[in-house]
Structure formats: C-alpha cells, structure tokens
Amino acid sequence: MDYPKISIVTPTFNRADFLEETILSVINQNYPNLEYIIIDGGSTDGTIDIIKKYKDKITYWVSEPDKGMYHAIQKGFDKATGDIFAWLNSDDIYHSQSLLMVAEIFTTLPDVEWLIGTPSLFNRNGQCVKVFPTTKWSKRSFAVGNYKWIQQESTFWRKSLWEKAGSNINTKYKFAADFELWTRFFDYSELHSVNTILAGFRLHHDQLSVINESLYENEVKNIYYSHFAAHRSISEYLIFKLFKIQKYFSDSKYFIRFIGLLIKGLLKKTYKYPETIYFDFSNEKWRHS
C-alpha cells in the first residue's frame, strides 16, 4: 500500500505524568509515513525531558508560552503537511495499529473524508476500562440536538476537509473549539463511524474538560444555537423539543424510554445516516455496511 502521510498533533502543558504514554502510543504504531508534532506551552514539570527523550521520533516540537490548548493545536496544524490529520491530547492514548487501520480505510474508501472510531475510556493508570457501542452520526441529527459527543481523540479527517472548513481552530473558544470545528466539518462532509476502537479518552479528575464541564457545555450550547438554530425545519424543531422534554423528565425512566424511542424513530425515518465502516473478513478489506 502507498501509505498516506498522517499528521498527529499533541498539545501539552505540564503533563509529565501522562505524556510519555501518549507519545509511546503514537510512535509505537510503527506507521511508516508519520508526521508527529508536539506543541508545548512552556512546561516546567519535566515535560520537556520526556519530549527530548523521544525527539528522534518526533518530526517537530517546540516549547514556548501560548494562548491555550487550541492555540497550540492551531500552531501544530500550521506545521502539518500530511494527507490525514488528527490531534491527540497529552493524556489520551491510541490503541495498537490504529494508524494503519485509518490509512487503509481512507485509501480503500476514497469517498470518506471524516472518520470516527468506537469510543473507549482509559483510567488514570492507562488501562482501557470501557468500550461504548459504535455510534452513527448524521449532520441533520447532530443539528437537531443529537450531538453528545463526538470523541475527538478517535477522529481523523483528510487535509482537504480541513482546508474546506477554513484550515483553522476557532481559538476564541477556550473549552469547546473541537465542537465548533465539527459543526464546520458537517457543512462539507458526513462523519463515518468505523466499528472498531482507534483511541481512548483518559478520564481523570484534573483534566480541563472535567474541571470545567459546565463551562464546556455552555460553550457548546452557544456554538450550537449560533450554527444550527436558524436553519431548522419544522420537523427538526419538533425533534429538538423532544430532546429537551427527555432531559426535563430525566427522573421518569419509562417516560424517558418512550421519548427516546420516539426520537430514535423520527431520526431514523427523517435522516439517512452514512454507512458504518467494517472489516470484511471474507475479502480482507474495509467496506461500508
């Protein structure tokens, strides 16, 4: 296979406790056409020693003060020259051979511009402790409120999609710039799910998204309403209201179940989801379902 270049950006700041596992999960992929970029915000906790330990495997790295995580990510992608892009935060982990699978999928299925693996969780000790069911995503379903959550570390996209969406992370958002990027990606592409794990989110109590969960969700709501609310049809508005009702009556499990089934039925009837990607063992290649 003619391996496409994959550019991975890791932003970091004072993450010496987790960074080495993250770096190893990237370089131990042994992917033959990898561009790995680490952008550090001026760490003082031993992070730089860890980066230097693996500098021969890192394409580019820098340590200097920045304006936060998303500014660091933007700096990384400004340096990226690959065909496929992704970012992996400095406490998250790739599963074994993920990059090879990603390359094979994008090469075999040229219509796929944007890809997400099955979500998984790591604990503080780096153990994969939970794998969620594969989720199907649709632009219109996302637009009516079914947006929780696209797992960023399991997401890969073509450089061409990045360019169509403006080649930028919106750094005015401190917590949810990833969500804002997804809304722009949906303007140009559908998100294809693959029925396997690619990466895992490490859940611990001193990470930005946990400490500032309410601030993250407030930013998400602002982004969501500014991007989608003005463009809903009547049926989409109805589905959105059902989502709100479901949340309001969260203490009534039977009513919630009924509303959930109603929403699921309406979404299935109203919106065509992109085909899930799976591995066809009989032909030994990746296919759409």
Side-chain angles (χ1 to χ4, degrees):
M1 191 176 86
D2 185 13
Y3 293 99
K5 182 187 284 188
I6 299 180
S7 297
I8 306 296
V9 173
T10 291
T12 185
F13 179 66
N14 288 338
R15 272 285 180 244
D17 46 352
F18 299 128
L19 179 62
E20 187 165 22
E21 281 186 279
T22 297
I23 291 174
L24 287 172
S25 82
V26 177
I27 63 178
N28 286 347
Q29 299 281 319
N30 294 317
Y31 184 72
N33 199 3
L34 172 67
E35 181 178 62
Y36 190 29
I37 297 167
I38 299 179
I39 308 295
D40 177 70
S43 294
T44 58
D45 68 339
T47 290
I48 305 306
D49 292 333
I50 294 171
I51 295 173
K52 288 180 177 179
K53 181 178 177 180
Y54 299 102
K55 64 180 182 180
D56 292 343
K57 301 289 187 180
I58 298 168
T59 310
Y60 173 85
W61 72 275
V62 67
S63 178
E64 60 189 16
D66 55 38
K67 298 175 183 178
M69 178 178 71
Y70 293 117
H71 181 226
I73 294 167
Q74 182 67 56
K75 287 166 60 178
F77 284 132
D78 286 343
K79 292 287 184 181
T81 62
D83 307 296
I84 299 166
F85 284 4
W87 87 76
L88 185 69
N89 289 331
S90 55
D91 46 5
D92 297 331
I93 298 173
Y94 282 137
H95 292 285
S96 175
Q97 299 198 42
S98 292
L99 299 188
L100 285 168
M101 289 191 286
V102 166
E104 289 169 5
I105 291 167
F106 278 113
T107 301
T108 305
L109 304 172
D111 59 310
V112 174
E113 291 190 285
W114 186 19
L115 177 73
I116 185 168
T118 299
S120 63
L121 290 180
F122 285 88
N123 63 15
R124 176 178 285 274
N125 298 323
Q127 299 164 332
C128 183
V129 294
K130 187 169 185 177
V131 177
F132 295 89
T134 302
T135 302
K136 285 190 174 184
W137 296 94
S138 155
K139 174 181 178 178
R140 300 316 307 167
S141 172
F142 189 89
V144 299
N146 191 25
Y147 55 72
K148 293 186 177 179
W149 297 107
I150 293 175
Q151 192 183 32
Q152 162 267 313
E153 61 282 348
S154 292
T155 306
F156 297 81
W157 58 90
R158 295 187 191 272
K159 181 181 181 180
S160 56
L161 177 59
W162 171 253
E163 292 172 339
K164 290 176 192 175
S167 301
N168 73 292
I169 302 286
N170 191 333
T171 54
K172 83 173 187 179
Y173 297 106
K174 184 176 181 181
F175 304 105
D178 57 341
F179 183 85
E180 195 277 336
L181 181 63
W182 310 148
T183 64
R184 283 185 282 131
F185 277 3
F186 271 123
D187 287 338
Y188 301 97
S189 175
E190 289 286 5
L191 174 56
H192 290 261
S193 299
V194 57
N195 193 21
T196 190
I197 51 176
L198 297 175
F201 179 79
R202 191 197 297 258
L203 187 60
H204 54 94
H205 297 298
D206 55 346
Q207 60 200 147
L208 192 66
S209 57
V210 172
I211 296 171
N212 301 287
E213 183 176 1
S214 62
L215 295 175
Y216 178 87
E217 295 206 9
N218 285 337
E219 278 197 357
V220 163
K221 288 176 183 177
N222 290 334
I223 294 164
Y224 171 77
Y225 281 108
S226 64
H227 198 86
F228 291 119
H231 307 290
R232 290 197 204 105
S233 65
I234 293 174
S235 62
E236 289 168 347
Y237 181 77
L238 172 62
I239 295 171
F240 172 75
K241 283 297 185 183
L242 286 172
F243 275 118
K244 299 281 283 185
I245 291 170
Q246 185 182 34
K247 185 175 181 180
Y248 183 78
F249 288 98
S250 59
D251 58 338
S252 175
K253 65 178 182 179
Y254 296 109
F255 186 72
I256 290 304
R257 188 176 300 170
F258 168 75
I259 293 294
L261 290 171
L262 181 60
I263 292 171
K264 186 176 180 181
L266 285 170
L267 289 175
K268 186 176 181 180
K269 184 177 180 180
T270 307
Y271 306 117
K272 181 180 179 181
Y273 288 86
E275 296 173 317
T276 301
I277 297 167
Y278 73 101
F279 189 77
D280 179 358
F281 285 95
S282 60
N283 293 289
E284 296 191 343
K285 64 190 302 184
W286 294 94
R287 293 186 180 277
H288 296 303
S289 59

